[in-house]
Amino acid sequence: MPPAAGAPGSPHADRAKLADVAALAGVSVGTASKALNGGGRMRPETRQRVLDAVAELGFRPNQHAQSLHTGRSWTVGLMTTDGIGRFSTPVLLGAEDALGAGKISVLLCDTRGDAIREQHHLRNLMDRRVDGIIVTGRRTDPRPPLTGINGLESVPVVYALSPSTDPVHTSVVSDDRGGARLAVEHLLSTGRTRIAHVTGPEHHAAARDRARHGVEQLESAGFALSTGRVHFGEWSESWGRSAADAVLRTAPDTDAFFCGNDQIARGVADTLRERGVGVPGDIAVVGYDNWDTMALASRPPLTTIDVNLTEIGRIAALRLLEAIETSSPAPGVHTVPCRLVVREST
């Protein structure tokens, strides 16, 4: 039996109209339109009949017509300064998970940290009449808000990972206070009390914040850093190796390292292994970020703090959708909890 006119596989499938859907579902064209757009109040079975008719006829809505009708482009921009994608890719995946349910497309723009390139991408996004913009980067340092383009004030913007310096904007960030607490509490729970902290550059917010919160957590438990100070340096394995040597010269009774990221922690683990120090038998090591490339390749694999980048992207997208739908953005900084991932290094 040949497929019905308008059904998938028929020569007329591309001719199916909204009126055909409405007729097959036994509803008005207006009701069919509301069912497809997710609007209007109707019985669930009515909406389902419309969706069943869409599937049977192979109907595809005219996106251009929908945009004219609703005033929306059904696209959002995602601007990032993270050219290599180490941090922006998980954020993008989380955002797409949330936006995909609403059939919204994401336009990725890499500014490479260049202000002129950022303005160029911003103009293009505005020309495309995007419904909103998510801004992310590779650092947790607050960044200036988007400015300089006419009409931008009417487009919702959410900042993910790198918060806006303006508190009236919506920002979604990782909870570094909670992450540092999880790391220190875990080490203390394993009986470690002589803990060293090795981290990245002091001018980076992530290094400063994780160090400050880690020290506070130690002090609240009645302990202090084994060397008496935080070891600021670089976000690299080589820094982790040299810092481990320095720590053990200063405080040879150190029994744990809390590191500012997984690269540093892997470098620390390398030095301890070369010295014949057992990990975790003699000294435990905790990293930060849960970057699989580093954490799983380390010897032994690293216990680390997952900053939930994908969840940051998902929450940022949901906040953006709320702002688009209600024209009422939720201002301020919204934190996403970290989680402890326990592996063989502790």
Side-chain angles (χ1 to χ4, degrees):
M1 179 178 178
S10 80
H12 303 291
D14 59 335
R15 299 181 185 176
K17 302 293 190 295
L18 184 60
D20 301 325
V21 172
L24 184 58
V27 299
S28 69
V29 172
T31 297
S33 176
K34 290 177 181 177
L36 290 177
N37 291 329
R41 298 179 61 183
M42 65 187 70
R43 295 168 63 88
E45 52 267 34
T46 301
R47 192 183 304 274
Q48 189 58 52
R49 287 207 312 276
V50 173
L51 297 178
D52 290 343
V54 167
E56 183 174 341
L57 296 174
F59 173 72
R60 297 187 64 183
N62 184 318
Q63 293 292 337
H64 179 65
Q66 280 191 325
S67 296
L68 292 176
H69 176 68
T70 64
R72 292 179 55 178
S73 66
W74 303 96
T75 59
V76 303
L78 191 147
M79 298 185 67
T80 177
T81 62
D82 179 24
I84 63 173
R86 161 67 187 92
F87 295 97
S88 63
T89 298
V91 171
L92 171 63
L93 293 175
E96 285 188 323
D97 284 345
L99 296 170
K103 310 302 182 186
I104 296 176
S105 299
V106 179
L107 304 176
L108 179 62
C109 303
D110 176 18
T111 70
R112 305 179 193 175
D114 182 87
I116 295 176
R117 189 180 294 270
E118 179 173 283
Q119 288 292 298
H120 167 73
H121 284 308
L122 190 53
R123 280 192 294 271
N124 284 340
L125 291 176
M126 295 300 292
D127 288 343
R128 289 172 177 266
R129 303 179 65 85
V130 294
D131 296 325
I133 300 172
I134 297 174
V135 182
T136 188
R138 61 179 179 269
R139 290 169 57 174
T140 62
D141 298 78
R143 56 148 292 153
L146 298 179
T147 57
I149 303 296
N150 290 335
L152 180 60
E153 63 280 356
S154 63
V155 177
V157 179
V158 174
Y159 298 82
L161 189 63
S162 305
S164 170
T165 53
D166 192 333
V168 305
H169 295 141
T170 304
S171 300
V172 182
V173 302
S174 180
D175 179 14
D176 272 340
R177 177 189 295 275
R181 177 182 55 79
L182 287 172
V184 172
E185 282 184 345
H186 175 66
L187 288 172
L188 292 175
S189 72
T190 63
R192 318 293 171 151
T193 58
R194 298 283 295 164
I195 301 172
H197 185 53
V198 180
T199 191
E202 190 170 7
H203 64 275
H204 284 201
R208 294 195 309 273
D209 292 344
R210 292 166 191 177
R212 182 176 74 256
H213 298 317
V215 170
E216 289 173 353
Q217 187 63 35
L218 266 177
E219 291 176 344
S220 68
F223 299 102
L225 291 173
S226 65
T227 61
R229 69 181 182 90
V230 174
H231 295 263
F232 290 104
E234 301 173 353
W235 300 116
S236 68
E237 292 175 73
S238 61
W239 164 239
R241 288 192 290 270
S242 61
D245 277 329
V247 167
L248 294 180
R249 282 196 304 268
T250 303
D253 58 346
T254 295
D255 59 13
F257 281 82
F258 166 34
C259 302
N261 79 347
D262 293 331
Q263 288 167 279
I264 295 171
R266 184 173 173 179
V268 167
D270 285 347
T271 289
L272 295 178
R273 187 175 63 255
E274 290 165 4
R275 282 172 165 255
V277 177
V279 178
D282 300 314
I283 297 179
V285 179
V286 172
Y288 209 104
D289 289 338
N290 196 28
W291 184 13
D292 285 356
T293 301
M294 287 290 157
L296 296 180
S298 178
R299 298 169 56 193
L302 295 170
T303 291
T304 185
I305 302 299
D306 193 316
V307 295
N308 275 335
L309 292 173
T310 302
E311 183 67 2
I312 289 174
R314 191 184 74 84
I315 296 299
L318 292 177
R319 290 282 182 264
L320 186 66
L321 287 174
E322 290 172 4
I324 293 170
E325 295 289 348
T326 67
S327 299
S328 301
V333 177
H334 307 265
T335 58
V336 174
C338 298
R339 64 187 181 90
L340 174 71
V341 180
V342 179
R343 298 192 181 98
E344 288 90 330
S345 68
T346 58

